[in-house]
Amino acid sequence: MQNNPRLLAVKTLSKISNGAYSNLQLNQVINNSNMSNLDIRLMTNIVYGVVQHRLTLEFYLDAFVSNQNKLDAWVRELLYSAIYQMEYLDKIPNRAILNESINIAKQLGHAGIRKMVTGVLHAVINKGLPSFDKIKDNVKKLSIKYSVAEWIINELTQQLGLDKTISILESINSPSKQSVRFNSTLTDKNTIKNELESEGYEVEDSIVSNNGLLVSKKSAAKSELFKKGKITIQDESAMLPVDSMQFKPSDCVLDVCSAPGGKTIQIAEQLDNKLGGKIYAFDLHEKRLVKVKENAKRMHVDAVVQTKALDARKIDKEFDDEYFDKILIDAPCSGIGLIRRKPEIRYEKQLSDVKHLASIQLDILNAVACKLKHKGVLIYSTCTILNQENVDVVNAFLEKHPEFELLQTDKHLIINNKNQEKWLRVFPDDFNSDGFFVCKLRKI
């Protein structure tokens, strides 16, 4: 396979524009290439950058191409990637971007395409990119400037105000941090930091989760520590639902929507099979549970993990009432809190999806509630930042279930000073981590 990072970026973006998932496609290309770490970072930057800024890049290209939809997908992505590099990557001179782009056009297309690409990019360099000021509608202007669907901007503005919305929009196009959680059953923070540094990683403590670390320089999945189960890749915010729970080693726990298993494993590390501790990991599809089993085995906690493909709304057929000491419902959601890490979400999701998901979330809560023991704790969490799937769902559940009370969600580290609400809301601009919602309920 070719090892030119810009060429591979264009090919990857072409497949993504035809429906492939960016993270899966990117990983496949990287695994099948012999690129250096430097080239992998450049390719990754270009791919995610173009996807993140797609609406902005469409707006820019419209000023130079009369109908860009008539272009072949790879030509359009080549122009987007060149404009992205010129506008957002300061360390690469325009001359190098121009030469590389022309060479790719020559390699993938015919002479006419090469001339067109050359002409467009020369015009971009000579004339400069158009200003957003020509867009008169304020919501549309924000949508184009930050490359986020207008409905998301409208919802965030109504719920959080314009200043907070703009702060979130400004944060979501910055690079995602690479965070890992260390396996507390096998190691401790100081030991794992030293081991990571000896492998060539730069390591920082997380300011969000006690067991989280930020690592850079290369992929954490390449570490021997990952392979040995001493660390796992998990966003800092995604650690918070389990951080907010306290477990006895003998607890019987239910993780309702478990795949790919990050939170399942985080809980399992605190349970003891010899004392009867067990976590039941459910997910709708058996195929998705394969990853849960693989992760549990890699992290040496498979003895306490039992998986089952099950729609959580049908749990009544499987377990008696008051069966579980603790329950985690990390509910299926729109994922609006993940749009830095999964940029396609900002274009694919619609408001109708949010309303549909909120109905499913409430159904899951209603179905599972009776399976919790008296005085047991239930954590409801999502990776979205919209009230419809968070606060509104919890309030609707509490109105129907007076046997539950809302507890103060345990907050860790710097988060202690950020929020006075009983539930925990983390926005993408708070710590440059994923957006998350965590709510703690107790059965009384």
Side-chain angles (χ1 to χ4, degrees), residues 358-439:
S359 175
I360 293 174
Q361 292 153 1
L362 185 56
D363 286 346
I364 292 173
L365 271 165
N366 287 332
V368 169
C370 61
K371 304 305 173 186
L372 187 66
K373 291 180 181 178
H374 177 61
K375 294 188 179 181
V377 169
L378 183 155
I379 293 291
Y380 173 77
S381 64
T382 73
C383 53
T384 187
I385 53 177
L386 298 177
N387 287 343
Q388 292 96 318
E389 301 176 77
N390 294 335
V391 177
D392 294 352
V393 169
V394 171
N395 285 335
F397 173 76
L398 288 172
E399 187 174 333
K400 187 174 180 179
H401 292 272
E403 74 276 19
F404 277 83
E405 65 175 346
L406 179 64
L407 298 180
Q408 181 75 46
T409 301
D410 298 330
K411 301 164 187 176
H412 299 272
L413 305 179
I414 198 170
I415 289 178
N416 285 314
N417 301 318
K418 296 290 290 185
N419 201 323
Q420 299 305 313
E421 300 169 330
K422 281 197 169 183
W423 40 62
L424 173 59
R425 294 195 292 174
V426 178
F427 296 101
D429 61 322
D430 289 340
F431 312 104
N432 291 320
S433 60
D434 291 343
F436 239 86
F437 175 85
V438 186
C439 179

Coordinates of all heavy atoms in Angstrom, one line a residue, residues 358-439:
A358 N -34.9 9.6 23.7 CA -35.4 9.9 25.0 C -36.5 9.0 25.4 O -36.6 8.6 26.6 CB -35.9 11.4 25.0
S359 N -37.4 8.6 24.5 CA -38.4 7.7 24.8 C -37.9 6.3 25.1 O -38.3 5.6 26.1 CB -39.4 7.6 23.6 OG -40.3 6.6 23.8
I360 N -36.8 5.8 24.4 CA -36.2 4.6 24.7 C -35.5 4.6 26.0 O -35.6 3.6 26.8 CB -35.2 4.2 23.6 CG1 -35.9 3.9 22.2 CG2 -34.3 3.0 24.0 CD1 -35.0 3.8 21.1
Q361 N -34.8 5.7 26.3 CA -34.1 5.8 27.6 C -35.1 5.7 28.8 O -34.8 5.0 29.8 CB -33.4 7.2 27.6 CG -32.2 7.3 26.7 CD -32.0 8.7 26.2 OE1 -32.6 9.6 26.6 NE2 -31.0 8.8 25.3
L362 N -36.2 6.3 28.7 CA -37.2 6.3 29.8 C -37.8 4.9 29.9 O -38.0 4.4 31.0 CB -38.3 7.3 29.5 CG -39.4 7.5 30.6 CD1 -38.7 7.8 32.0 CD2 -40.4 8.5 30.2
D363 N -38.0 4.2 28.7 CA -38.5 2.8 28.8 C -37.5 1.9 29.5 O -37.9 1.0 30.2 CB -38.7 2.3 27.3 CG -40.0 2.9 26.7 OD1 -40.8 3.5 27.4 OD2 -40.1 2.8 25.4
I364 N -36.2 2.1 29.2 CA -35.2 1.3 29.9 C -35.2 1.5 31.4 O -35.2 0.5 32.2 CB -33.8 1.6 29.3 CG1 -33.7 1.1 27.8 CG2 -32.7 0.9 30.1 CD1 -32.5 1.4 27.1
L365 N -35.2 2.7 31.8 CA -35.3 3.1 33.2 C -36.5 2.4 33.9 O -36.4 1.8 35.0 CB -35.3 4.6 33.4 CG -34.0 5.3 33.5 CD1 -34.2 6.8 33.4 CD2 -33.3 5.0 34.9
N366 N -37.7 2.6 33.3 CA -38.9 2.0 33.8 C -38.8 0.5 33.9 O -39.3 -0.1 34.9 CB -40.1 2.4 33.0 CG -40.5 3.9 33.1 OD1 -40.2 4.5 34.1 ND2 -41.0 4.5 32.1
A367 N -38.2 -0.1 32.9 CA -38.2 -1.6 32.9 C -37.2 -2.1 34.0 O -37.5 -3.2 34.6 CB -37.8 -2.1 31.5
V368 N -36.1 -1.4 34.2 CA -35.1 -1.9 35.1 C -35.3 -1.6 36.5 O -34.8 -2.3 37.4 CB -33.7 -1.4 34.6 CG1 -32.6 -1.6 35.5 CG2 -33.4 -2.0 33.2
A369 N -36.0 -0.6 36.8 CA -36.1 0.0 38.2 C -36.5 -1.1 39.2 O -35.9 -1.1 40.3 CB -37.2 1.1 38.2
C370 N -37.4 -2.0 38.9 CA -37.9 -3.0 39.9 C -36.8 -4.0 40.2 O -37.0 -4.8 41.1 CB -39.2 -3.6 39.4 SG -39.0 -4.5 37.8
K371 N -35.8 -4.1 39.4 CA -34.7 -5.1 39.6 C -33.7 -4.7 40.6 O -32.8 -5.5 41.0 CB -34.1 -5.5 38.3 CG -35.0 -5.9 37.2 CD -35.9 -7.1 37.7 CE -37.0 -7.4 36.6 NZ -37.9 -8.4 37.1
L372 N -33.8 -3.5 41.1 CA -32.8 -3.0 42.1 C -33.3 -3.2 43.5 O -34.5 -3.1 43.8 CB -32.7 -1.4 41.9 CG -31.6 -0.8 42.7 CD1 -30.2 -1.2 42.3 CD2 -31.7 0.8 42.5
K373 N -32.4 -3.7 44.4 CA -32.7 -4.0 45.8 C -33.1 -2.7 46.5 O -32.7 -1.6 46.1 CB -31.5 -4.6 46.5 CG -31.2 -6.1 46.0 CD -30.0 -6.6 46.7 CE -29.7 -8.0 46.2 NZ -28.5 -8.6 46.9
H374 N -33.8 -2.9 47.6 CA -34.1 -1.8 48.5 C -32.8 -1.1 49.0 O -31.8 -1.8 49.3 CB -34.8 -2.3 49.7 CG -35.1 -1.3 50.8 ND1 -35.9 -0.1 50.5 CD2 -34.8 -1.2 52.1 CE1 -36.0 0.6 51.6 NE2 -35.3 0.0 52.6
K375 N -32.7 0.2 48.9 CA -31.5 1.0 49.2 C -30.4 0.9 48.2 O -29.3 1.4 48.4 CB -31.0 0.7 50.6 CG -31.9 1.2 51.7 CD -31.3 1.0 53.1 CE -32.3 1.5 54.2 NZ -31.7 1.4 55.5
G376 N -30.7 0.1 47.1 CA -29.7 0.0 46.0 C -29.6 1.3 45.2 O -30.4 2.2 45.2
V377 N -28.4 1.4 44.5 CA -28.1 2.7 43.8 C -28.1 2.4 42.3 O -27.6 1.4 41.8 CB -26.7 3.2 44.2 CG1 -26.3 4.3 43.2 CG2 -26.8 3.8 45.6
L378 N -28.8 3.3 41.5 CA -28.8 3.2 40.1 C -28.2 4.5 39.5 O -28.5 5.6 39.9 CB -30.3 3.1 39.6 CG -30.6 2.9 38.1 CD1 -31.9 2.2 37.9 CD2 -30.6 4.2 37.4
I379 N -27.2 4.3 38.6 CA -26.6 5.4 37.9 C -27.2 5.5 36.5 O -27.2 4.5 35.7 CB -25.1 5.2 37.8 CG1 -24.5 5.3 39.2 CG2 -24.5 6.3 36.9 CD1 -24.5 6.7 39.8
Y380 N -27.7 6.6 36.1 CA -28.2 6.9 34.7 C -27.2 7.9 34.1 O -26.9 8.9 34.6 CB -29.6 7.5 34.7 CG -30.1 7.9 33.3 CD1 -30.5 6.9 32.4 CD2 -30.0 9.2 33.0 CE1 -30.9 7.3 31.2 CE2 -30.5 9.6 31.7 CZ -30.9 8.6 30.8 OH -31.3 9.0 29.5
S381 N -26.6 7.4 32.9 CA -25.7 8.3 32.3 C -25.8 8.3 30.8 O -26.4 7.3 30.2 CB -24.2 7.9 32.7 OG -23.9 6.6 32.2
T382 N -25.4 9.4 30.2 CA -25.4 9.4 28.7 C -24.1 10.2 28.3 O -23.6 11.0 29.0 CB -26.6 10.2 28.1 OG1 -26.5 11.6 28.3 CG2 -27.9 9.6 28.7
C383 N -23.8 10.1 27.0 CA -22.7 10.9 26.4 C -23.3 12.0 25.5 O -22.7 12.3 24.5 CB -21.7 10.1 25.7 SG -22.4 9.0 24.4
T384 N -24.4 12.5 25.9 CA -25.0 13.7 25.2 C -25.1 14.8 26.2 O -25.0 14.7 27.4 CB -26.4 13.4 24.6 OG1 -26.8 14.5 23.8 CG2 -27.4 13.1 25.7
I385 N -25.3 16.0 25.7 CA -25.4 17.2 26.5 C -26.8 17.9 26.4 O -26.9 19.1 26.8 CB -24.3 18.2 26.2 CG1 -24.2 18.6 24.7 CG2 -22.9 17.6 26.7 CD1 -23.1 19.6 24.3
L386 N -27.7 17.2 25.8 CA -29.1 17.8 25.6 C -30.0 17.4 26.7 O -30.1 16.3 27.1 CB -29.6 17.4 24.2 CG -28.8 17.8 23.0 CD1 -29.4 17.2 21.7 CD2 -28.7 19.3 22.9
N387 N -30.8 18.4 27.2 CA -31.7 18.2 28.3 C -32.7 17.1 28.0 O -33.2 16.3 28.9 CB -32.5 19.5 28.6 CG -31.6 20.5 29.3 OD1 -30.5 20.1 29.8 ND2 -32.0 21.7 29.4
Q388 N -33.2 17.0 26.7 CA -34.2 16.0 26.4 C -33.8 14.6 26.8 O -34.7 13.8 27.1 CB -34.5 16.1 24.9 CG -35.2 17.3 24.4 CD -34.1 18.3 23.8 OE1 -33.1 18.5 24.4 NE2 -34.5 19.0 22.7
E389 N -32.6 14.3 26.7 CA -32.1 12.9 27.0 C -31.5 12.8 28.4 O -31.2 11.7 28.8 CB -31.0 12.5 26.0 CG -31.5 12.5 24.5 CD -30.4 12.2 23.6 OE1 -30.0 11.0 23.4 OE2 -29.8 13.1 23.0
N390 N -31.4 13.9 29.1 CA -30.8 13.8 30.4 C -31.8 14.3 31.5 O -32.5 13.5 32.1 CB -29.6 14.7 30.4 CG -28.5 14.2 29.5 OD1 -28.4 13.0 29.2 ND2 -27.6 15.1 29.0
V391 N -31.8 15.5 31.8 CA -32.6 16.1 32.9 C -34.1 15.7 32.7 O -34.8 15.3 33.6 CB -32.4 17.6 33.0 CG1 -33.3 18.2 34.1 CG2 -31.0 17.9 33.3
D392 N -34.6 15.9 31.5 CA -36.0 15.6 31.2 C -36.4 14.2 31.4 O -37.4 13.8 32.0 CB -36.4 16.0 29.8 CG -36.2 17.5 29.5 OD1 -36.0 18.3 30.5 OD2 -36.4 18.0 28.4
V393 N -35.5 13.2 31.0 CA -35.7 11.8 31.2 C -35.7 11.5 32.7 O -36.6 10.7 33.2 CB -34.7 11.0 30.5 CG1 -34.7 9.5 30.9 CG2 -34.8 11.1 29.0
V394 N -34.8 12.0 33.5 CA -34.7 11.7 34.9 C -35.9 12.3 35.6 O -36.5 11.6 36.5 CB -33.4 12.3 35.5 CG1 -33.4 12.2 37.0 CG2 -32.2 11.6 35.0
N395 N -36.3 13.5 35.3 CA -37.5 14.1 35.9 C -38.8 13.3 35.6 O -39.6 13.1 36.5 CB -37.7 15.5 35.5 CG -36.7 16.4 36.2 OD1 -36.2 16.1 37.3 ND2 -36.4 17.5 35.6
A396 N -38.9 12.8 34.4 CA -40.1 12.0 34.0 C -40.1 10.7 34.8 O -41.1 10.2 35.2 CB -40.1 11.8 32.5
F397 N -38.9 10.1 34.9 CA -38.8 8.8 35.7 C -39.2 9.0 37.1 O -39.9 8.2 37.7 CB -37.4 8.3 35.6 CG -37.1 7.1 36.4 CD1 -37.6 5.8 36.1 CD2 -36.4 7.2 37.6 CE1 -37.3 4.7 36.9 CE2 -36.1 6.1 38.4 CZ -36.6 4.9 38.1
L398 N -38.6 10.1 37.8 CA -38.9 10.3 39.2 C -40.4 10.6 39.4 O -41.0 10.2 40.5 CB -38.1 11.5 39.7 CG -36.6 11.2 39.9 CD1 -35.8 12.4 40.2 CD2 -36.3 10.1 40.9
E399 N -41.0 11.2 38.5 CA -42.5 11.5 38.6 C -43.3 10.3 38.6 O -44.3 10.2 39.3 CB -42.9 12.4 37.4 CG -44.3 12.9 37.6 CD -44.7 13.9 36.4 OE1 -43.8 14.6 35.9 OE2 -45.9 14.0 36.1
K400 N -42.8 9.2 37.9 CA -43.6 8.0 37.8 C -43.1 7.0 38.9 O -43.9 6.0 39.2 CB -43.3 7.3 36.5 CG -44.2 6.1 36.2 CD -44.0 5.6 34.8 CE -44.8 4.4 34.5 NZ -44.7 3.9 33.1
H401 N -41.9 7.2 39.5 CA -41.4 6.3 40.5 C -41.0 7.0 41.8 O -39.9 7.3 42.1 CB -40.1 5.6 39.9 CG -40.4 4.7 38.8 ND1 -40.7 3.4 39.0 CD2 -40.5 4.9 37.5 CE1 -40.9 2.8 37.8 NE2 -40.8 3.7 36.9
P402 N -42.0 7.2 42.7 CA -41.8 7.9 43.9 C -40.9 7.1 44.9 O -40.4 7.6 45.9 CB -43.2 8.1 44.5 CG -44.0 7.1 43.8 CD -43.4 6.9 42.5
E403 N -40.7 5.8 44.5 CA -39.8 4.9 45.4 C -38.3 5.2 45.1 O -37.5 4.6 45.8 CB -40.1 3.4 45.1 CG -39.6 2.9 43.8 CD -40.5 3.1 42.6 OE1 -41.4 4.0 42.7 OE2 -40.4 2.4 41.6
F404 N -38.0 6.1 44.3 CA -36.6 6.5 44.0 C -36.4 8.0 44.5 O -37.3 8.8 44.3 CB -36.3 6.4 42.5 CG -35.9 5.0 42.1 CD1 -36.9 4.1 41.8 CD2 -34.6 4.6 42.0 CE1 -36.6 2.8 41.4 CE2 -34.2 3.3 41.6 CZ -35.2 2.4 41.3
E405 N -35.2 8.2 45.0 CA -34.8 9.6 45.3 C -33.5 10.0 44.6 O -32.7 9.1 44.2 CB -34.6 9.7 46.8 CG -33.4 8.9 47.4 CD -33.2 9.2 48.8 OE1 -33.7 10.1 49.4 OE2 -32.4 8.4 49.5
L406 N -33.4 11.3 44.3 CA -32.2 11.8 43.6 C -31.1 12.1 44.6 O -31.4 12.8 45.6 CB -32.6 13.1 42.8 CG -31.6 13.8 42.1 CD1 -31.0 12.9 40.9 CD2 -32.1 15.1 41.5
L407 N -30.0 11.5 44.4 CA -28.8 11.8 45.3 C -27.8 12.7 44.6 O -27.8 12.9 43.4 CB -28.1 10.4 45.6 CG -28.9 9.4 46.3 CD1 -27.9 8.2 46.6 CD2 -29.4 9.9 47.7
Q408 N -27.0 13.3 45.5 CA -25.9 14.1 45.0 C -24.9 13.2 44.3 O -24.4 12.2 44.9 CB -25.2 14.8 46.1 CG -24.0 15.7 45.7 CD -24.5 17.0 45.0 OE1 -25.4 17.7 45.5 NE2 -23.9 17.4 43.9
T409 N -24.6 13.4 43.0 CA -23.7 12.6 42.3 C -22.3 12.9 42.7 O -21.9 14.1 42.8 CB -23.8 12.9 40.7 OG1 -25.1 12.6 40.3 CG2 -22.8 12.0 40.0
D410 N -21.5 11.9 43.1 CA -20.1 12.1 43.6 C -19.3 12.8 42.5 O -19.3 12.3 41.3 CB -19.5 10.8 44.0 CG -20.2 10.2 45.1 OD1 -20.8 10.9 45.9 OD2 -20.3 8.9 45.2
K411 N -18.6 13.8 42.8 CA -17.8 14.5 41.8 C -16.3 14.6 42.3 O -16.1 14.7 43.5 CB -18.3 16.0 41.7 CG -19.8 16.0 41.2 CD -20.5 17.3 41.4 CE -21.9 17.2 41.1 NZ -22.6 18.5 41.4
H412 N -15.5 14.4 41.3 CA -14.1 14.2 41.7 C -13.2 15.3 41.2 O -13.5 16.0 40.2 CB -13.6 12.8 41.1 CG -14.3 11.7 41.6 ND1 -14.0 11.0 42.7 CD2 -15.5 11.1 41.2 CE1 -14.8 10.0 43.0 NE2 -15.7 10.0 42.0
L413 N -12.1 15.5 41.9 CA -11.0 16.4 41.4 C -11.6 17.8 41.2 O -12.3 18.3 41.9 CB -10.3 15.8 40.2 CG -9.7 14.4 40.5 CD1 -9.0 13.8 39.2 CD2 -8.7 14.3 41.6
I414 N -11.2 18.4 40.0 CA -11.6 19.7 39.7 C -13.1 19.9 39.5 O -13.6 21.0 39.7 CB -10.8 20.2 38.5 CG1 -10.8 21.8 38.4 CG2 -11.3 19.6 37.2 CD1 -9.9 22.4 37.4
I415 N -13.7 18.8 39.2 CA -15.2 18.9 39.0 C -15.9 19.3 40.2 O -17.0 19.9 40.2 CB -15.7 17.5 38.4 CG1 -15.2 17.3 37.0 CG2 -17.2 17.5 38.5 CD1 -15.6 16.0 36.4
N416 N -15.3 19.1 41.4 CA -16.0 19.5 42.6 C -16.3 21.0 42.6 O -17.3 21.4 43.3 CB -15.1 19.2 43.8 CG -15.0 17.7 44.1 OD1 -16.1 17.1 44.2 ND2 -13.8 17.2 44.3
N417 N -15.5 21.8 41.9 CA -15.7 23.2 42.0 C -16.6 23.7 40.8 O -16.8 24.9 40.7 CB -14.4 23.9 42.0 CG -13.5 23.5 43.1 OD1 -14.0 23.4 44.2 ND2 -12.2 23.2 42.9
K418 N -17.0 22.9 39.9 CA -17.6 23.3 38.7 C -19.2 23.3 38.7 O -19.8 24.0 37.9 CB -17.2 22.4 37.5 CG -15.7 22.5 37.2 CD -15.3 23.8 36.6 CE -15.8 24.0 35.3 NZ -15.3 25.2 34.6
N419 N -19.8 22.6 39.6 CA -21.2 22.3 39.4 C -21.9 22.1 40.7 O -21.5 21.3 41.5 CB -21.4 21.1 38.5 CG -22.7 21.0 37.9 OD1 -23.7 21.4 38.5 ND2 -22.8 20.6 36.6
Q420 N -23.0 22.8 41.0 CA -23.7 22.7 42.2 C -25.0 21.9 42.1 O -25.7 21.7 43.0 CB -24.1 24.1 42.8 CG -22.9 25.0 43.1 CD -21.9 24.3 44.0 OE1 -22.3 23.8 45.1 NE2 -20.6 24.3 43.7
E421 N -25.3 21.4 40.9 CA -26.5 20.6 40.6 C -26.3 19.2 41.3 O -25.1 18.8 41.4 CB -26.8 20.5 39.1 CG -27.0 21.8 38.4 CD -27.0 21.6 36.9 OE1 -26.3 20.7 36.4 OE2 -27.7 22.4 36.2
K422 N -27.4 18.5 41.6 CA -27.2 17.2 42.1 C -26.7 16.2 41.0 O -25.9 15.3 41.3 CB -28.6 16.7 42.6 CG -28.9 17.2 44.0 CD -30.0 16.4 44.7 CE -30.1 16.8 46.2 NZ -31.1 16.0 46.9
W423 N -27.1 16.4 39.8 CA -26.6 15.5 38.7 C -25.3 16.2 38.3 O -25.0 17.4 38.5 CB -27.5 15.4 37.6 CG -28.3 16.6 37.3 CD1 -27.9 17.8 36.8 CD2 -29.8 16.7 37.4 NE1 -28.9 18.6 36.6 CE2 -30.1 18.0 37.0 CE3 -30.8 15.8 37.8 CZ2 -31.4 18.4 37.0 CZ3 -32.1 16.3 37.8 CH2 -32.4 17.6 37.4
L424 N -24.5 15.5 37.5 CA -23.3 16.0 37.0 C -23.4 16.1 35.5 O -23.7 15.2 34.8 CB -22.1 14.9 37.3 CG -20.8 15.2 36.7 CD1 -20.2 16.5 37.2 CD2 -19.8 14.1 37.1
R425 N -23.1 17.4 35.1 CA -23.0 17.6 33.6 C -21.6 18.1 33.3 O -21.2 19.1 33.8 CB -24.1 18.7 33.2 CG -25.5 18.2 33.4 CD -26.5 19.1 32.7 NE -26.6 20.4 33.3 CZ -27.3 21.4 32.8 NH1 -28.0 21.2 31.7 NH2 -27.4 22.6 33.4
V426 N -21.0 17.4 32.3 CA -19.7 17.8 31.9 C -19.8 18.2 30.4 O -20.3 17.4 29.6 CB -18.6 16.7 32.0 CG1 -17.3 17.1 31.4 CG2 -18.5 16.3 33.4
F427 N -19.5 19.4 30.0 CA -19.6 19.9 28.7 C -18.2 19.8 28.0 O -17.2 19.8 28.7 CB -20.1 21.3 28.6 CG -21.5 21.4 29.2 CD1 -21.7 21.9 30.5 CD2 -22.6 21.1 28.4 CE1 -23.0 22.0 31.0 CE2 -23.9 21.2 28.9 CZ -24.1 21.6 30.2
P428 N -18.2 19.7 26.6 CA -16.9 19.5 25.9 C -15.9 20.6 26.2 O -14.7 20.4 26.1 CB -17.3 19.5 24.5 CG -18.7 19.0 24.5 CD -19.3 19.6 25.7
D429 N -16.3 21.8 26.5 CA -15.4 22.9 26.8 C -14.9 23.0 28.2 O -14.0 23.8 28.5 CB -16.0 24.3 26.4 CG -17.3 24.6 27.2 OD1 -18.1 23.6 27.5 OD2 -17.5 25.7 27.5
D430 N -15.5 22.2 29.1 CA -15.1 22.3 30.5 C -13.7 21.8 30.7 O -12.9 22.5 31.4 CB -16.0 21.4 31.4 CG -17.4 22.1 31.5 OD1 -17.6 23.3 31.3 OD2 -18.4 21.3 31.9
F431 N -13.3 20.6 30.2 CA -12.0 20.0 30.4 C -11.4 19.5 29.1 O -10.5 18.7 29.1 CB -12.1 18.9 31.4 CG -12.9 19.3 32.7 CD1 -14.1 18.8 32.9 CD2 -12.3 20.1 33.6 CE1 -14.9 19.2 34.0 CE2 -13.0 20.5 34.8 CZ -14.2 20.0 35.0
N432 N -12.0 19.9 28.0 CA -11.6 19.3 26.7 C -11.7 17.8 26.6 O -10.9 17.1 26.0 CB -10.2 19.8 26.3 CG -10.2 21.3 25.9 OD1 -11.1 21.8 25.3 ND2 -9.2 22.0 26.4
S433 N -12.7 17.3 27.3 CA -13.0 15.8 27.3 C -14.4 15.7 26.6 O -15.0 16.7 26.2 CB -13.0 15.2 28.7 OG -14.0 15.9 29.5
D434 N -14.9 14.5 26.6 CA -16.3 14.3 26.0 C -17.3 14.9 26.9 O -17.1 15.0 28.2 CB -16.6 12.8 25.9 CG -15.7 12.1 24.8 OD1 -15.1 12.8 24.0 OD2 -15.6 10.9 24.9
G435 N -18.4 15.3 26.3 CA -19.6 15.8 27.1 C -20.3 14.6 27.7 O -20.4 13.5 27.1
F436 N -20.7 14.7 29.0 CA -21.3 13.6 29.7 C -22.3 14.1 30.7 O -22.2 15.2 31.2 CB -20.2 12.7 30.4 CG -20.2 11.3 29.9 CD1 -19.4 10.9 28.8 CD2 -20.9 10.3 30.6 CE1 -19.4 9.6 28.4 CE2 -20.9 9.0 30.2 CZ -20.1 8.7 29.1
F437 N -23.3 13.2 31.0 CA -24.3 13.4 32.0 C -24.3 12.2 32.9 O -24.3 11.1 32.5 CB -25.7 13.6 31.4 CG -26.8 13.8 32.4 CD1 -27.1 15.0 32.9 CD2 -27.6 12.7 32.7 CE1 -28.2 15.1 33.9 CE2 -28.6 12.8 33.6 CZ -28.9 14.0 34.2
V438 N -24.3 12.5 34.3 CA -24.3 11.4 35.2 C -25.3 11.7 36.3 O -25.3 12.8 36.9 CB -23.0 11.1 35.9 CG1 -23.0 9.9 36.8 CG2 -21.9 10.9 34.8
C439 N -26.2 10.8 36.6 CA -27.2 11.1 37.7 C -27.3 9.8 38.6 O -27.3 8.7 38.1 CB -28.6 11.3 37.0 SG -29.9 11.6 38.2

